[in-house]
Amino acid sequence: MKRAIPVLVLSIAGLIPVWRYEPSLGTASTEAATPASTPSESSAASGSGSASTVVKGSTVQTDKGPVQVQVTFQGSKITAVKMLQQPNHPQTTAAVPKLIAETLQAQSADIDTVSGATITSDGYKESLQAAIDANTESVSSSAASPSASASAAAQSQTVDGSTVNTDKGPVQVQVAFEGDRIASVKMLQQPNHPQTTAAVPKLIAETLEAQSADIDTVSGATITSDGYRESLQAAIDAKG
């Protein structure tokens, strides 16, 4: 029994460090480890529905050495700035955090020059402005594309006419419009008859010329012609 007591004490002592252990929370890095990319490259922003775009500014050659920034945008908002190249100089090292802080606050390259680091400040602002300009152009292009696609889709439209049941069989046309213009006509259904087969090219040719369903009946294919015109008019009416 006397031996059991020390063992129990040691066991409890061994558990104390475990009970007192608290996982340490590291501070978030201010610079994302994102590979450099062109304005056209983007990656999804963590925890956000929109996309983040990483843009390199131009490399500005200064008397102290090259200066180049990399800017992360969310839309047109600047969310982070990283130095890709900078002069190896104590004044530059001290100036960079100030320049970045001012950029995030101003959301532009219209920021003050850091005293004692005029050359670096000027190079920084020039590279930053180049990145902002590239992103603005990219955002504008992206915004214009959906509207252009929507406009093209509105101009080009394919409409199926009604199915007209005739004594010879069903007749149905499909009409492709470019704006209000009839660009082409395709037969979806037609009677399996030699006179119909011969009549269809004539009916389509007249349609493209007249740009309406007001066309002549093809001799020897009256029933098909009537069904064609009815289906065609239905497609024109449906297009609006």
Side-chain angles (χ1 to χ4, degrees):
M1 184 65 183
K2 290 182 180 181
R3 290 183 179 179
I5 293 173
V7 172
L8 180 59
V9 171
L10 289 173
S11 300
I12 294 172
L15 290 173
I16 289 173
V18 177
W19 295 336
R20 295 185 61 185
Y21 172 76
E22 295 178 2
S24 60
L25 298 175
T27 57
S29 173
T30 57
E31 294 181 354
T34 307
S37 63
T38 61
S40 61
E41 295 176 337
S42 63
S43 58
S46 178
S48 172
S50 59
S52 292
T53 306
V54 180
V55 184
K56 286 182 181 180
S58 57
T59 300
V60 181
Q61 301 293 340
T62 74
D63 292 340
K64 300 292 185 181
V67 175
Q68 184 183 24
V69 303
Q70 176 178 283
V71 187
T72 301
F73 297 91
Q74 192 166 334
S76 58
K77 182 184 178 184
I78 300 172
T79 58
V81 181
K82 178 180 179 181
M83 297 299 293
L84 296 181
Q85 298 184 73
Q86 67 183 64
N88 185 16
H89 195 278
Q91 288 174 310
T92 295
T93 304
V96 165
K98 298 177 184 178
L99 292 168
I100 292 174
E102 285 194 33
T103 301
L104 296 176
Q105 183 175 358
Q107 289 295 303
S108 74
D110 186 15
I111 58 176
D112 292 332
T113 296
V114 175
S115 179
T118 302
I119 292 175
T120 296
S121 298
D122 290 345
Y124 172 93
K125 287 186 283 191
E126 184 178 339
S127 183
L128 174 63
Q129 187 61 57
I132 292 172
D133 292 343
N135 182 67
T136 300
E137 185 178 348
S138 178
V139 169
S140 298
S141 299
S142 298
S145 296
S147 59
S149 299
S151 176
Q155 290 178 356
S156 298
Q157 187 177 0
T158 302
V159 182
D160 291 350
S162 58
T163 299
V164 181
N165 290 306
T166 73
D167 292 341
K168 298 292 184 180
V171 175
Q172 184 184 22
V173 303
Q174 182 182 79
V175 186
F177 297 91
E178 288 183 4
D180 294 327
R181 177 176 166 271
I182 298 173
S184 64
V185 181
K186 177 182 178 182
M187 297 299 293
L188 297 181
Q189 297 184 74
Q190 67 182 64
N192 185 17
H193 195 277
Q195 289 174 310
T196 295
T197 303
V200 165
K202 298 177 183 178
L203 292 168
I204 292 175
E206 284 194 34
T207 301
L208 296 177
E209 184 177 352
Q211 288 294 303
S212 72
D214 186 16
I215 57 175
D216 294 333
T217 297
V218 175
S219 179
T222 303
I223 292 174
T224 296
S225 297
D226 290 344
Y228 173 93
R229 285 194 297 251
E230 184 178 341
S231 183
L232 175 63
Q233 187 61 57
I236 293 171
D237 293 342
K239 191 268 178 188

